[in-house]
Amino acid sequence: MSIGAGELASVQLLGDIIKSCRTKHPLIRYEIFTASADLTKERMDKGLTDIGLLLEPINIEKYEFIRLDVKERWVAVMPADDPLAAREYVTADDLMTGPLILPIRGGVRNELLSWFGSSFDRERVILTHSMSTNASIMVQKGMGRCVTVEGSLPYLDNNVLALRPLYPELTSTSVLAWKRQQPFSLAATKFIEHLKCFLGMTES
Amino acid sequence: MSIGAGELASVQLLGDIIKSCRTKHPLIRYEIFTASADLTKERMDKGLTDIGLLLEPINIEKYEFIRLDVKERWVAVMPADDPLAAREYVTADDLMTGPLILPIRGGVRNELLSWFGSSFDRERVILTHSMSTNASIMVQKGMGRCVTVEGSLPYLDNNVLALRPLYPELTSTSVLAWKRQQPFSLAATKFIEHLKCFLGMTES
């Protein structure tokens, strides 16, 4: 079965769900197709992906969904020797002191623009990114600081790059979503049953 | 201008090209859309992406391209405390001792299947992935070992996950490609000129 997922802290929870589902249904095979929420939705509409793990805001009115109890915290990514890395957190004004790398996706960018408020100067944005790994390489090359969700860069070597939370704190939520009345494969049906049970939505 | 790129060691070189281009053409803004080579090609065909950084094998006969002098080395990703992490490298037989996480993309999978040879047992493959970050979370959860290109997991904390090269060594190449006779924007035209110069293809 196919799961479309962003690079998010909630992928850790997805891993726990798959792991526990494997003890119950060891024959199910999984595909994890990493993509932004827009693209995953498109793939669900085309029937290429059964379930999506989507960063909000995203329009999910056509879908059945469960909002996950995981905070997706926004952070600034910078070289470990960036003077800002000495701070506990960074503000919009701090970030406006140098070039910036921001996410491409519209809905998510609007949340960020609202966080930046009147401090925002679009001239600072020299690069936009869809996934954090390649953006982190541009940060390490000294091209600018990147704003992204913390969960997209797990297991990072703190000697190379530093992640610092935004202040005021900015967090997003994510949902597990699937099409209503989709004729799912047996594997996907079992997995959806299991995840509802895992997340305490139904009796086991 | 828009660049579509896989998660590759050669993104480091792409970073160097962008950085040096910024000194010559400071007004150019970049978008880096991370995707597999198939999807980036599709986006180039639709005119959504100007330039692709593609992991081979990929059919690029319709494109103008430069093959990069960067080795994309295939590795196994495992928890740092996996007994295999004590080895300098891992063989196909080593990997067949436990569950496996392999790439989705067809062309790339065929290279891997050929490397595995007669050791390969498809029953071991419990999960396929399109991008390494989410796959690495599944590895850390103990779901299996993941085979991927080393450059897709830069700046990794070695205390959590270990990358070990395959033996016999398996490497791939990557290309920077763009459509022939495409009416490019001025920015993309300048960038292509610059990258040819940077890579020693033309006089500056």
Side-chain angles (χ1 to χ4, degrees), chain A residues 17-33:
Chain A
I17 297 172
I18 295 177
K19 204 174 171 185
S20 73
C21 192
R22 273 184 57 71
T23 63
K24 219 194 260 175
H25 307 291
L27 296 180
I28 300 181
R29 294 291 179 266
Y30 301 86
E31 170 191 292
I32 299 185
F33 191 95

PDB file of all heavy atoms in Angstrom, chain A residues 17-33:
ATOM      1  N   ILE A  17       3.110   3.544  13.863  1.00  0.00           N
ATOM      2  CA  ILE A  17       1.868   2.899  13.390  1.00  0.00           C
ATOM      3  C   ILE A  17       2.221   1.731  12.462  1.00  0.00           C
ATOM      4  O   ILE A  17       1.695   0.626  12.596  1.00  0.00           O
ATOM      5  CB  ILE A  17       0.950   3.914  12.665  1.00  0.00           C
ATOM      6  CG1 ILE A  17       0.505   5.010  13.634  1.00  0.00           C
ATOM      7  CG2 ILE A  17      -0.260   3.202  12.073  1.00  0.00           C
ATOM      8  CD1 ILE A  17      -0.255   6.172  12.973  1.00  0.00           C
ATOM      9  N   ILE A  18       3.136   1.972  11.510  1.00  0.00           N
ATOM     10  CA  ILE A  18       3.518   0.907  10.572  1.00  0.00           C
ATOM     11  C   ILE A  18       4.147  -0.255  11.343  1.00  0.00           C
ATOM     12  O   ILE A  18       3.830  -1.418  11.110  1.00  0.00           O
ATOM     13  CB  ILE A  18       4.514   1.436   9.509  1.00  0.00           C
ATOM     14  CG1 ILE A  18       3.852   2.497   8.616  1.00  0.00           C
ATOM     15  CG2 ILE A  18       5.043   0.288   8.638  1.00  0.00           C
ATOM     16  CD1 ILE A  18       4.777   3.136   7.589  1.00  0.00           C
ATOM     17  N   LYS A  19       5.025   0.083  12.295  1.00  0.00           N
ATOM     18  CA  LYS A  19       5.718  -0.961  13.041  1.00  0.00           C
ATOM     19  C   LYS A  19       4.719  -1.844  13.793  1.00  0.00           C
ATOM     20  O   LYS A  19       4.810  -3.077  13.755  1.00  0.00           O
ATOM     21  CB  LYS A  19       6.698  -0.316  14.021  1.00  0.00           C
ATOM     22  CG  LYS A  19       7.820  -1.261  14.380  1.00  0.00           C
ATOM     23  CD  LYS A  19       8.870  -0.605  15.233  1.00  0.00           C
ATOM     24  CE  LYS A  19       9.825  -1.692  15.733  1.00  0.00           C
ATOM     25  NZ  LYS A  19      10.807  -1.147  16.677  1.00  0.00           N
ATOM     26  N   SER A  20       3.747  -1.222  14.432  1.00  0.00           N
ATOM     27  CA  SER A  20       2.790  -2.030  15.188  1.00  0.00           C
ATOM     28  C   SER A  20       1.853  -2.769  14.235  1.00  0.00           C
ATOM     29  O   SER A  20       1.425  -3.882  14.507  1.00  0.00           O
ATOM     30  CB  SER A  20       2.011  -1.169  16.184  1.00  0.00           C
ATOM     31  OG  SER A  20       1.073  -0.372  15.505  1.00  0.00           O
ATOM     32  N   CYS A  21       1.552  -2.179  13.088  1.00  0.00           N
ATOM     33  CA  CYS A  21       0.701  -2.855  12.097  1.00  0.00           C
ATOM     34  C   CYS A  21       1.425  -4.093  11.562  1.00  0.00           C
ATOM     35  O   CYS A  21       0.791  -5.102  11.244  1.00  0.00           O
ATOM     36  CB  CYS A  21       0.340  -1.899  10.968  1.00  0.00           C
ATOM     37  SG  CYS A  21      -0.977  -2.506   9.876  1.00  0.00           S
ATOM     38  N   ARG A  22       2.757  -4.015  11.481  1.00  0.00           N
ATOM     39  CA  ARG A  22       3.528  -5.160  10.973  1.00  0.00           C
ATOM     40  C   ARG A  22       3.421  -6.387  11.892  1.00  0.00           C
ATOM     41  O   ARG A  22       3.480  -7.517  11.415  1.00  0.00           O
ATOM     42  CB  ARG A  22       5.006  -4.782  10.797  1.00  0.00           C
ATOM     43  CG  ARG A  22       5.264  -4.163   9.430  1.00  0.00           C
ATOM     44  CD  ARG A  22       6.721  -3.879   9.187  1.00  0.00           C
ATOM     45  NE  ARG A  22       7.597  -5.038   9.302  1.00  0.00           N
ATOM     46  CZ  ARG A  22       7.657  -6.060   8.447  1.00  0.00           C
ATOM     47  NH1 ARG A  22       6.870  -6.080   7.397  1.00  0.00           N
ATOM     48  NH2 ARG A  22       8.486  -7.056   8.636  1.00  0.00           N
ATOM     49  N   THR A  23       3.245  -6.147  13.184  1.00  0.00           N
ATOM     50  CA  THR A  23       3.099  -7.308  14.068  1.00  0.00           C
ATOM     51  C   THR A  23       1.736  -7.971  13.840  1.00  0.00           C
ATOM     52  O   THR A  23       1.595  -9.174  13.959  1.00  0.00           O
ATOM     53  CB  THR A  23       3.259  -6.924  15.557  1.00  0.00           C
ATOM     54  OG1 THR A  23       2.198  -6.019  15.889  1.00  0.00           O
ATOM     55  CG2 THR A  23       4.598  -6.244  15.816  1.00  0.00           C
ATOM     56  N   LYS A  24       0.723  -7.162  13.492  1.00  0.00           N
ATOM     57  CA  LYS A  24      -0.624  -7.699  13.268  1.00  0.00           C
ATOM     58  C   LYS A  24      -0.783  -8.257  11.856  1.00  0.00           C
ATOM     59  O   LYS A  24      -1.409  -9.288  11.642  1.00  0.00           O
ATOM     60  CB  LYS A  24      -1.643  -6.581  13.519  1.00  0.00           C
ATOM     61  CG  LYS A  24      -2.913  -7.066  14.225  1.00  0.00           C
ATOM     62  CD  LYS A  24      -4.013  -6.010  14.129  1.00  0.00           C
ATOM     63  CE  LYS A  24      -4.153  -5.169  15.380  1.00  0.00           C
ATOM     64  NZ  LYS A  24      -5.115  -4.079  15.245  1.00  0.00           N
ATOM     65  N   HIS A  25      -0.247  -7.536  10.872  1.00  0.00           N
ATOM     66  CA  HIS A  25      -0.393  -7.911   9.455  1.00  0.00           C
ATOM     67  C   HIS A  25       0.979  -7.936   8.785  1.00  0.00           C
ATOM     68  O   HIS A  25       1.334  -7.018   8.043  1.00  0.00           O
ATOM     69  CB  HIS A  25      -1.286  -6.901   8.718  1.00  0.00           C
ATOM     70  CG  HIS A  25      -2.608  -6.668   9.367  1.00  0.00           C
ATOM     71  ND1 HIS A  25      -3.603  -7.622   9.405  1.00  0.00           N
ATOM     72  CD2 HIS A  25      -3.115  -5.587  10.009  1.00  0.00           C
ATOM     73  CE1 HIS A  25      -4.658  -7.131  10.047  1.00  0.00           C
ATOM     74  NE2 HIS A  25      -4.389  -5.892  10.422  1.00  0.00           N
ATOM     75  N   PRO A  26       1.770  -8.987   9.064  1.00  0.00           N
ATOM     76  CA  PRO A  26       3.179  -8.993   8.603  1.00  0.00           C
ATOM     77  C   PRO A  26       3.342  -9.029   7.085  1.00  0.00           C
ATOM     78  O   PRO A  26       4.432  -8.739   6.594  1.00  0.00           O
ATOM     79  CB  PRO A  26       3.765 -10.248   9.261  1.00  0.00           C
ATOM     80  CG  PRO A  26       2.596 -11.089   9.640  1.00  0.00           C
ATOM     81  CD  PRO A  26       1.436 -10.175   9.865  1.00  0.00           C
ATOM     82  N   LEU A  27       2.290  -9.345   6.350  1.00  0.00           N
ATOM     83  CA  LEU A  27       2.467  -9.471   4.904  1.00  0.00           C
ATOM     84  C   LEU A  27       2.282  -8.152   4.147  1.00  0.00           C
ATOM     85  O   LEU A  27       2.594  -8.068   2.966  1.00  0.00           O
ATOM     86  CB  LEU A  27       1.521 -10.536   4.329  1.00  0.00           C
ATOM     87  CG  LEU A  27       1.798 -11.957   4.848  1.00  0.00           C
ATOM     88  CD1 LEU A  27       0.822 -12.944   4.233  1.00  0.00           C
ATOM     89  CD2 LEU A  27       3.243 -12.374   4.553  1.00  0.00           C
ATOM     90  N   ILE A  28       1.762  -7.138   4.827  1.00  0.00           N
ATOM     91  CA  ILE A  28       1.562  -5.858   4.125  1.00  0.00           C
ATOM     92  C   ILE A  28       2.919  -5.243   3.777  1.00  0.00           C
ATOM     93  O   ILE A  28       3.834  -5.207   4.598  1.00  0.00           O
ATOM     94  CB  ILE A  28       0.741  -4.855   4.973  1.00  0.00           C
ATOM     95  CG1 ILE A  28      -0.650  -5.432   5.292  1.00  0.00           C
ATOM     96  CG2 ILE A  28       0.617  -3.513   4.262  1.00  0.00           C
ATOM     97  CD1 ILE A  28      -1.529  -4.484   6.115  1.00  0.00           C
ATOM     98  N   ARG A  29       3.050  -4.789   2.516  1.00  0.00           N
ATOM     99  CA  ARG A  29       4.243  -4.078   2.069  1.00  0.00           C
ATOM    100  C   ARG A  29       3.883  -2.605   1.914  1.00  0.00           C
ATOM    101  O   ARG A  29       2.766  -2.284   1.491  1.00  0.00           O
ATOM    102  CB  ARG A  29       4.716  -4.622   0.709  1.00  0.00           C
ATOM    103  CG  ARG A  29       5.207  -6.069   0.790  1.00  0.00           C
ATOM    104  CD  ARG A  29       6.507  -6.128   1.581  1.00  0.00           C
ATOM    105  NE  ARG A  29       7.040  -7.480   1.731  1.00  0.00           N
ATOM    106  CZ  ARG A  29       6.796  -8.277   2.778  1.00  0.00           C
ATOM    107  NH1 ARG A  29       5.997  -7.879   3.758  1.00  0.00           N
ATOM    108  NH2 ARG A  29       7.351  -9.470   2.850  1.00  0.00           N
ATOM    109  N   TYR A  30       4.829  -1.716   2.229  1.00  0.00           N
ATOM    110  CA  TYR A  30       4.550  -0.289   2.231  1.00  0.00           C
ATOM    111  C   TYR A  30       5.405   0.457   1.223  1.00  0.00           C
ATOM    112  O   TYR A  30       6.557   0.087   0.987  1.00  0.00           O
ATOM    113  CB  TYR A  30       4.833   0.305   3.619  1.00  0.00           C
ATOM    114  CG  TYR A  30       4.004  -0.334   4.695  1.00  0.00           C
ATOM    115  CD1 TYR A  30       4.428  -1.505   5.325  1.00  0.00           C
ATOM    116  CD2 TYR A  30       2.783   0.208   5.059  1.00  0.00           C
ATOM    117  CE1 TYR A  30       3.660  -2.115   6.295  1.00  0.00           C
ATOM    118  CE2 TYR A  30       2.006  -0.402   6.027  1.00  0.00           C
ATOM    119  CZ  TYR A  30       2.449  -1.568   6.643  1.00  0.00           C
ATOM    120  OH  TYR A  30       1.679  -2.169   7.593  1.00  0.00           O
ATOM    121  N   GLU A  31       4.806   1.508   0.663  1.00  0.00           N
ATOM    122  CA  GLU A  31       5.575   2.458  -0.126  1.00  0.00           C
ATOM    123  C   GLU A  31       5.398   3.803   0.562  1.00  0.00           C
ATOM    124  O   GLU A  31       4.261   4.195   0.852  1.00  0.00           O
ATOM    125  CB  GLU A  31       5.000   2.502  -1.544  1.00  0.00           C
ATOM    126  CG  GLU A  31       5.552   3.622  -2.398  1.00  0.00           C
ATOM    127  CD  GLU A  31       4.769   3.794  -3.703  1.00  0.00           C
ATOM    128  OE1 GLU A  31       4.834   2.893  -4.552  1.00  0.00           O
ATOM    129  OE2 GLU A  31       4.078   4.830  -3.855  1.00  0.00           O
ATOM    130  N   ILE A  32       6.510   4.499   0.828  1.00  0.00           N
ATOM    131  CA  ILE A  32       6.384   5.868   1.357  1.00  0.00           C
ATOM    132  C   ILE A  32       6.889   6.821   0.302  1.00  0.00           C
ATOM    133  O   ILE A  32       8.071   6.854  -0.024  1.00  0.00           O
ATOM    134  CB  ILE A  32       7.159   6.050   2.682  1.00  0.00           C
ATOM    135  CG1 ILE A  32       6.581   5.102   3.736  1.00  0.00           C
ATOM    136  CG2 ILE A  32       7.053   7.499   3.160  1.00  0.00           C
ATOM    137  CD1 ILE A  32       7.180   5.275   5.109  1.00  0.00           C
ATOM    138  N   PHE A  33       5.946   7.567  -0.275  1.00  0.00           N
ATOM    139  CA  PHE A  33       6.274   8.523  -1.316  1.00  0.00           C
ATOM    140  C   PHE A  33       6.313   9.906  -0.661  1.00  0.00           C
ATOM    141  O   PHE A  33       5.288  10.445  -0.245  1.00  0.00           O
ATOM    142  CB  PHE A  33       5.212   8.462  -2.426  1.00  0.00           C
ATOM    143  CG  PHE A  33       5.606   9.231  -3.652  1.00  0.00           C
ATOM    144  CD1 PHE A  33       6.231   8.580  -4.712  1.00  0.00           C
ATOM    145  CD2 PHE A  33       5.377  10.602  -3.742  1.00  0.00           C
ATOM    146  CE1 PHE A  33       6.616   9.295  -5.845  1.00  0.00           C
ATOM    147  CE2 PHE A  33       5.763  11.312  -4.866  1.00  0.00           C
ATOM    148  CZ  PHE A  33       6.376  10.658  -5.923  1.00  0.00           C
TER     149      PHE A  33
END
